[in-house]
Amino acid sequence: MSNMAEEALAIGGGFLIFGFGLNVASPQLSPHLNANLGLWGVFFILIGLIVIAIRLKSMGRR
């Protein structure tokens, strides 16, 4: 696996972890920040899954 593939997968994994973290922290932090962190968590999870899916799809073509 090339360095570029590992970088894309790491970025996607980072988005997933950050999204899960926002979802876990949402009940405690959302009232203080006046923002729905749960929805932001879902957004980052989706972005992470899309990045990973695109990278794995391009790796499968080779």
Side-chain angles (χ1 to χ4, degrees), residues 25-51:
S26 178
Q28 293 84 15
L29 293 179
S30 288
H32 300 295
L33 299 175
N34 293 326
N36 189 347
L37 295 181
L39 289 178
W40 280 106
V42 170
F43 173 75
F44 281 109
I45 289 170
L46 288 175
I47 295 296
L49 289 175
I50 290 169
V51 168

